[in-house]
Amino acid sequence: MTADVIIEGQVLLKVDFVDCGRGSGLRFESRDPADFRIEADGTVVAARTLQLSDRKGRSLEIKAKDVKSQEQWLVHVNFTQPKQVPEILFPRHSVVVKGDGSVNRVKRDWVIPPVNVLENSRKQFPEELVVIQSDKDKSNSLRYSVTGPGADQNPTGLFIIDAISGILSVTKPLDREHIPNFHLRAHAVDVNGNQMENPIDIIINVIDMNDNRPEFTHQIWNGTVDEGAKPGTFVMTVTSQDKDDPNTANGMLRYKILSQTPESPSSNMFTINNKTGKIITVAAGLDREKVPQYTLIIQATDMEGNPMYGLSNTATAVIRLLDVNDNTPEFTRETFHGEVPENRVNVIVTNLTVTDKDEPGTPAWNAVYRIISGDPTGRFSIPTDPVTNEGLVTVVKPIDYEMNRSFMLTVVADNEVPLASGIHRTRQSTSTVSIRVIDVNESPNFDPNPKQVKLEEGLPQWSMLTSFTAHDPDRYMQQTIRYSKLFDPANWLEIDPNNGRISTIAVLDRESPYVKNNLYNATFMASDNGVPPASGTGTLQINLLDINDNAPRVFPQEAEVCERPEPNTINITAVDGDLNPNAGPYAFELPNRPSDIRRNWTLTRISDHAQLSLKISYLETGIYELPISITDSGNLPMSNTTYLRIKVCQCDHHGDCVDMERIMAAGLGTGAIIAILICIIILLVLVLMFVMWMKRRDKERQAKQLLIDPEDDVRDNILKYDEEGGGEEDQDYDLSQLQQPDTLEPDLIKPVGIRRLDERPMHSEPNYPIRSAAPHPGDIGEFIHEGLKAADTDPTAPPYDSLLVFDYEGSSSTAGSLSSLHSSSSGGDQDYDYLNDWGPRFRKLADMYGGNDD
């Protein structure tokens, strides 16, 4: 053989045997069936893709055997490597001359076979694949190149070509699972780059080798099957994948079960389809209570499962048996005992326990309890505890010890789902429950409860009503009963503690607010002397019948009417606490006295009410109290005179009272309205006075800021003089004379020539003009100005020892020691020159306050 690569399924040769006419009884066998197989006619076919380099030095041994005589013959087939790299020639072209004389080159139909390259080759690289040649290479110097994926496109550099010789080589191993084939184009150009041949397509197929193991989709597979399943029941399907070519033996998988754990009841409880991976049961006897789960080791092998050449991988299949109801619940005891006090409900008497071999928590394990006998009145139920699966025998209806002292129940236990086919209930699925009833002290019972009595209202005090007694249900206990009042809202009744007789302690009144719908309810209690004591309550309902004990009253009690009578009517009716026939119809009447009532008003009865209207054309506005006599229709009718308060008012054109009159009608008289107006006026006056006081205060604050300069405050310049006063004897003087000199009384003025003892003695006093008083007592600026003028014209005037400026309230606001600006020193040791600068300041003050009343 001279092929470098042998492809799977490729026919290699045919063995012919010359047997002198005995060829019909021969059978051919291959000693290497993994690589080659021999057909019945002797044709040798490749069983897988081979590279001859791997079989270097190995021959194929073929055996021929005579079936009848058992004779054998052997033949050896040797494979050799090709000595030359195959060539691919550019197709030749023929010349066709058309009718018009033009020439066309026609390419011959030439299909270039693909180049096969084994993946993951271990040869030395670069490995020569094929030689590209052109018949024009003999006459021209050509350059060869290839383009396409694997050459000048990604992945680049896999294929290279010798530009001179045209040898195409592969530079590294190829992976079919990555790229199964490559499409290249070969080019031939001359040294100048001119195209000498049309490009040809070269297909390079990567031949698959068995280089990938099968991979299971899941490493652990989980499946379920019912216990007791019949053989052939489907369980699950496992799958595996192989990256090798699935069309060759390299990618053809086969499955098998390697092991089963546990091997009970046999080691072959399951089987698997070797091609599809489908797992089914093959044996009976699957019992979850014995073996709840099986674990299988599954193997997948390529090369169609060939153990010698195939690659394998394993996975785990876990098969869990699903529980079916093949076990009945069984009671742990034949008889259960319990006890319960009488008259108790929702009480658990006893717990019933069962065992079930089925899987806990499933419907096949959950127990359902039923009472099949012993409880005809349905006083018991048996719910199931969802956690423990126990039956809870519970009382659902009260039990009377005096009626039933014990119960004997027959109980059966089932499951939530029926038993599996062929399974029957056992004797242990039925049990007996013995229940003893405990006697307790029961409360006395009133009968009937409530008790109703009917009587007329107005029943006098200490009247006997009825007997309200209770009986003790405890027939086997000797006990006494005492009665007491528990609820009596109007405090009308009392009960005898020994015999239960009820009597009145007050007059019963149907019109009382404690009576609803003519019924009065009172509650009484009966207590026994048992241990512990028990008590019961009963209600007495008294249906009070009405009597005529309430006089009618006018309704409404207030009304409005216009001072002009048209249209002026008041509709009135009556209210009566009694019921018919002790109420309406009513008779309305105006009294005869005083006489002006009938003179001014008229009353007309209309059906069940009356109309009141003015008889005169005008009535003075005001509020009138009008007496009206009303009589009901009861047997022994009752009369009553009530007053209707009528407001006569001025009305608008709609006949409605004006607003002021409505205020008066609401209870505000003329005096109240005047008082309200006076209060409003006083409030406004106070607000006005407060505003004026605030404005005056602001002006005074501004005047003080103008009078006193912070830098020239005279209070910081107190000067000492040698002219001292008379001490304590010289303190009796009125300073207000300085502020208001025109208010001095004439007899208080010191006579001329009389001086104080502490004054400096003077010689004859010249006559000087009298200083005029200030035109206004409050004009301080004018007063200062006049003082300045008098001081200037009086050479004997002493310096001002103290000049006080007072505010209007009379408090001293500025004090300082000021001297006359032009007076000379009086005394050799007294120097007043430092006071000369006060002249301009003093005049400045006078100018500021001149003509200003503030």
Side-chain angles (χ1 to χ4, degrees):
M1 299 297 298
T2 58
D4 183 29
V5 178
I6 300 176
I7 302 175
E8 178 184 359
Q10 181 179 348
V11 178
L12 302 179
L13 56 97
K14 185 176 182 181
V15 179
D16 291 329
F17 189 82
V18 180
D19 60 344
C20 300
R22 297 188 302 167
S24 60
L26 296 178
R27 188 177 66 184
F28 298 96
E29 295 180 359
S30 174
R31 291 295 182 89
D32 197 357
D35 294 340
F36 305 97
R37 68 174 185 270
I38 302 178
E39 306 291 343
D41 59 352
T43 302
V44 179
V45 182
R48 63 188 183 94
T49 301
L50 301 173
Q51 194 166 2
L52 293 181
S53 60
D54 296 336
R55 298 189 59 86
K56 186 176 181 180
R58 296 171 55 194
S59 62
L60 172 62
E61 183 177 328
I62 301 175
K63 181 176 69 175
K65 183 178 180 180
D66 192 333
V67 178
K68 295 182 178 179
S69 63
Q70 298 297 317
E71 292 181 274
Q72 296 183 1
W73 294 268
L74 296 177
V75 63
H76 293 272
V77 179
N78 295 319
F79 297 91
T80 60
Q81 293 282 348
K83 296 181 180 180
Q84 295 180 353
V85 178
E87 290 184 355
I88 295 178
L89 298 177
F90 281 91
R92 296 181 180 181
H93 299 79
S94 60
V95 178
V96 177
V97 179
K98 296 183 179 180
D100 56 0
S102 60
V103 178
N104 252 355
R105 291 182 175 271
V106 180
K107 185 193 299 183
R108 296 177 182 176
D109 293 335
W110 188 2
V111 179
I112 300 175
V115 179
N116 296 323
V117 180
L118 286 176
E119 67 169 334
N120 299 322
S121 175
R122 298 182 180 179
K123 291 183 178 181
Q124 184 176 1
F125 292 95
E127 177 185 355
E128 296 178 353
L129 299 180
V130 70
V131 177
I132 309 294
Q133 291 292 329
S134 174
D135 55 359
K136 296 181 180 181
D137 196 11
K138 298 178 181 179
S139 59
N140 296 283
S141 178
L142 301 182
R143 300 292 183 266
Y144 299 97
S145 63
V146 291
T147 60
D152 61 343
Q153 300 177 20
N154 289 328
T156 59
L158 289 180
F159 301 99
I160 59 176
I161 188 171
D162 189 297
I164 304 299
S165 63
I167 298 177
L168 179 66
S169 304
V170 60
T171 60
K172 61 178 68 174
L174 304 179
D175 186 359
R176 188 200 69 84
E177 288 72 36
H178 185 217
I179 302 177
N181 55 69
F182 297 88
H183 187 183
L184 304 178
R185 305 201 75 184
H187 307 269
V189 298
D190 59 12
V191 293
N192 297 321
N194 298 319
Q195 179 177 322
M196 302 301 296
E197 297 282 0
N198 291 329
I200 60 174
D201 294 330
I202 301 175
I203 303 300
I204 299 177
N205 290 330
V206 182
I207 305 303
D208 182 44
M209 298 292 290
N210 190 18
D211 57 346
N212 292 282
R213 291 182 178 273
E215 296 290 340
F216 281 93
T217 308
H218 303 287
Q219 199 59 33
I220 298 179
W221 296 80
N222 294 289
T224 58
V225 64
D226 290 339
E227 63 172 327
K230 297 179 180 180
T233 303
F234 171 77
V235 180
M236 70 171 79
T237 299
V238 297
T239 57
S240 180
Q241 296 178 349
D242 196 316
K243 295 181 180 180
D244 293 325
D245 190 354
N247 297 319
T248 66
N250 297 335
M252 295 181 180
L253 306 180
R254 297 295 183 265
Y255 301 93
K256 72 175 181 178
I257 298 176
L258 296 182
S259 65
Q260 170 192 305
T261 305
E263 297 180 352
S264 175
S266 69
S267 59
N268 297 314
M269 299 297 295
F270 304 93
T271 186
I272 188 170
N273 187 303
N274 66 343
K275 292 184 179 180
T276 63
K278 180 180 179 180
I279 300 175
I280 60 174
T281 61
V282 293
L286 295 175
D287 190 353
R288 189 203 65 82
E289 286 73 33
K290 295 180 180 179
V291 180
Q293 180 176 291
Y294 289 90
T295 302
L296 308 179
I297 303 301
I298 310 298
Q299 183 185 61
T301 306
D302 58 14
M303 297 298 295
E304 299 180 289
N306 189 313
M308 182 177 297
Y309 299 102
L311 301 177
S312 303
N313 208 341
T314 60
T316 302
V318 178
I319 302 174
R320 184 170 59 89
L321 301 186
L322 298 178
D323 185 37
V324 297
N325 194 12
D326 57 347
N327 295 279
T328 60
E330 298 180 353
F331 285 98
T332 58
R333 289 186 291 175
E334 293 184 359
T335 304
F336 295 86
H337 298 274
E339 58 184 21
V340 60
E342 65 172 330
N343 299 322
R344 298 283 299 276
V345 294
N346 298 324
V347 176
I348 297 177
V349 179
T350 185
N351 292 6
L352 309 181
T353 55
V354 296
T355 58
D356 196 321
K357 295 180 181 179
D358 293 321
E359 184 177 2
T362 63
W365 177 81
N366 296 335
V368 178
Y369 301 89
R370 293 183 295 111
I371 300 174
I372 59 177
S373 66
D375 184 23
T377 58
R379 298 184 180 276
F380 299 93
S381 69
I382 309 178
T384 304
D385 189 314
V387 178
T388 63
N389 210 30
E390 295 179 351
L392 309 178
V393 181
T394 307
V395 181
V396 295
K397 293 182 180 180
I399 302 174
D400 190 357
Y401 174 82
E402 285 71 26
M403 301 295 294
N404 301 97
R405 297 187 181 184
S406 64
F407 292 88
M408 188 67 67
L409 308 179
T410 301
V411 181
V412 64
D414 295 317
N415 292 120
E416 292 182 354
V417 294
L419 292 172
S421 177
I423 306 298
H424 302 283
R425 184 185 292 114
T426 62
R427 182 178 60 84
Q428 290 80 7
S429 297
T430 303
S431 181
T432 302
V433 181
S434 177
I435 301 174
R436 183 174 67 91
V437 181
I438 302 174
D439 188 18
V440 296
N441 185 22
E442 300 178 73
S443 302
N445 296 327
F446 286 91
D447 188 24
N449 189 13
K451 183 176 182 178
Q452 295 183 351
V453 294
K454 183 181 293 185
L455 51 89
E456 287 186 349
E457 64 173 328
L459 191 67
Q461 188 178 12
W462 310 118
S463 299
M464 172 65 184
L465 289 184
T466 184
S467 292
F468 196 21
T469 58
H471 71 277
D472 194 343
D474 297 314
R475 294 179 297 178
Y476 303 99
M477 298 181 182
Q478 300 298 325
Q479 300 177 148
T480 59
I481 299 177
R482 293 187 63 83
Y483 302 93
S484 61
K485 184 171 64 174
L486 188 63
F487 178 71
D488 181 14
N491 197 24
W492 288 343
L493 309 174
E494 71 174 3
I495 188 170
D496 190 294
N498 297 317
N499 54 27
R501 292 181 180 179
I502 298 175
S503 58
T504 64
I505 59 175
V507 178
L508 305 185
D509 185 8
R510 191 197 65 83
E511 289 76 31
S512 170
Y514 301 104
V515 178
K516 305 298 181 183
N517 298 324
N518 301 328
L519 289 179
Y520 179 75
N521 294 322
T523 305
F524 299 91
M525 183 172 62
S527 304
D528 61 22
N529 59 347
V531 180
S535 60
T537 60
T539 300
L540 178 65
Q541 290 184 342
I542 304 175
N543 188 354
L544 295 175
L545 303 178
D546 184 41
I547 63 173
N548 193 12
D549 59 345
N550 291 278
R553 303 182 308 275
V554 68
F555 182 82
Q557 296 180 351
E558 295 182 357
E560 291 180 352
V561 67
C562 295
E563 58 186 2
R564 302 293 179 182
E566 296 88 4
N568 272 319
T569 59
I570 301 174
N571 292 325
I572 62 173
T573 184
V575 292
D576 194 330
D578 298 324
L579 302 176
N580 290 329
N582 295 321
Y586 303 100
F588 300 89
E589 186 179 4
L590 293 175
N592 295 325
R593 295 185 181 279
S595 59
D596 58 345
I597 294 178
R598 287 180 176 268
R599 185 173 61 250
N600 297 338
W601 303 91
T602 181
L603 185 62
T604 305
R605 178 178 174 179
I606 300 176
S607 183
D608 58 346
H609 66 281
Q611 282 188 349
L612 181 66
S613 59
L614 280 172
K615 296 174 62 177
I616 58 178
S617 60
Y618 173 80
L619 184 63
E620 184 180 356
T621 302
I623 298 176
Y624 298 86
E625 298 286 344
L626 184 63
I628 299 176
S629 177
I630 306 175
T631 304
D632 60 22
S633 300
N635 189 8
L636 298 177
M638 297 188 68
S639 298
N640 185 27
T641 299
T642 57
Y643 287 86
L644 176 62
R645 190 169 184 265
I646 301 177
K647 169 64 178 66
V648 179
C649 59
Q650 296 178 359
C651 297
D652 55 15
H653 62 282
H654 296 294
D656 298 328
C657 287
V658 296
D659 293 341
M660 184 59 69
E661 299 298 335
R662 291 184 178 275
I663 294 175
M664 295 177 61
L668 292 180
T670 305
I673 297 175
I674 294 175
I676 292 175
L677 294 177
I678 292 175
C679 292
I680 294 174
I681 294 172
I682 293 175
L683 181 61
L684 293 176
V685 170
L686 292 176
V687 172
L688 182 61
M689 292 177 64
F690 177 75
V691 172
M692 294 176 63
W693 178 79
M694 290 297 295
K695 292 181 64 177
R696 183 166 181 170
R697 185 178 179 185
D698 292 340
K699 291 182 180 180
E700 292 174 1
R701 186 180 297 110
Q702 295 175 1
K704 290 179 182 181
Q705 294 176 355
L706 293 174
L707 181 62
I708 302 174
D709 191 352
E711 298 179 356
D712 300 330
D713 193 353
V714 297
R715 289 176 295 179
D716 296 336
N717 302 315
I718 300 176
L719 305 179
K720 181 180 179 182
Y721 293 88
D722 58 354
E723 297 178 357
E724 298 181 356
E728 296 180 357
E729 299 177 356
D730 194 19
Q731 302 300 319
D732 190 10
Y733 53 84
D734 188 5
L735 295 179
S736 62
Q737 298 177 9
L738 180 62
Q739 183 179 8
Q740 298 176 348
D742 56 335
T743 61
L744 294 177
E745 299 180 2
D747 19 348
L748 295 177
I749 301 176
K750 183 176 60 174
V752 180
I754 300 177
R755 294 182 177 273
R756 298 182 317 186
L757 298 177
D758 58 345
E759 286 182 349
R760 182 180 292 108
M762 301 294 295
H763 300 285
S764 60
E765 296 179 354
N767 293 327
Y768 291 98
I770 301 175
R771 303 177 185 178
S772 62
H776 191 276
D779 193 350
I780 299 175
E782 190 68 24
F783 172 73
I784 296 174
H785 184 67
E786 293 295 332
L788 283 173
K789 291 171 64 178
D792 290 339
T793 58
D794 187 2
T796 63
Y800 291 100
D801 293 337
S802 297
L803 176 61
L804 302 178
V805 179
F806 296 90
D807 58 12
Y808 293 118
E809 288 77 18
S811 60
S812 174
S813 61
T814 305
S817 298
L818 302 176
S819 298
S820 175
L821 298 177
H822 303 287
S823 61
S824 60
S825 299
S826 59
D829 57 350
Q830 194 73 20
D831 187 8
Y832 295 102
D833 293 337
Y834 65 95
L835 296 177
N836 291 332
D837 58 343
W838 279 99
R841 297 184 185 181
F842 204 86
R843 289 186 175 86
K844 181 180 180 180
L845 288 175
D847 294 338
M848 285 191 300
Y849 283 94
N852 189 354
D853 294 341
D854 295 333

